[in-house]
Each structure stands twice: as C-alpha cells, then as structure tokens.
Amino acid sequence: MFYYEVICFSCKKTFKANEGSLKYKQAKERTVKFFCCEECADKIRIEAILSFMNRINRNF
C-alpha cells in the first residue's frame, strides 16, 4: 500500500496519509499545503463546535 509522510501543522509530528484517503490525494496533488493528523483534526472540530454552541447560548 502506498502512502505519503506529511507533517501536521498543529503538533509538528509526521503521520502517514494512506492511499485512498482525501489527505493522500491532496498530498499527491499538493493542492493543500497544510495538513493535520486525525488527533489534531478532532481537537479542532471539537473546539469549533464548542465555540459555536457558546455563541448560540449567549444570544438567548
């Protein structure tokens, strides 16, 4: 199986983008220059959801 080793822009660790994934396609084509690992992507997603929920609660 093919993969690219890319560096996470958040934690600066190297991770593998396996063949068939969106990150592999982006790394192959270099359409996106910044990649994040699954752990950091989950943290970013959770922070965004919490921030959105806090804004909704302040408006009511």
Side-chain angles (χ1 to χ4, degrees), residues 3 5 8-11 14 18 21 24 26-27 37-43 47 50-52 57-58:
Y3 63 89
E5 288 189 356
C8 176
F9 74 90
S10 182
C11 66
T14 302
N18 293 320
S21 68
Y24 177 86
Q26 290 173 337
C37 61
E38 291 299 320
E39 294 172 7
C40 292
D42 290 340
K43 288 178 187 176
E47 287 177 12
L50 291 174
S51 175
F52 177 74
N57 288 338
R58 275 189 260 145

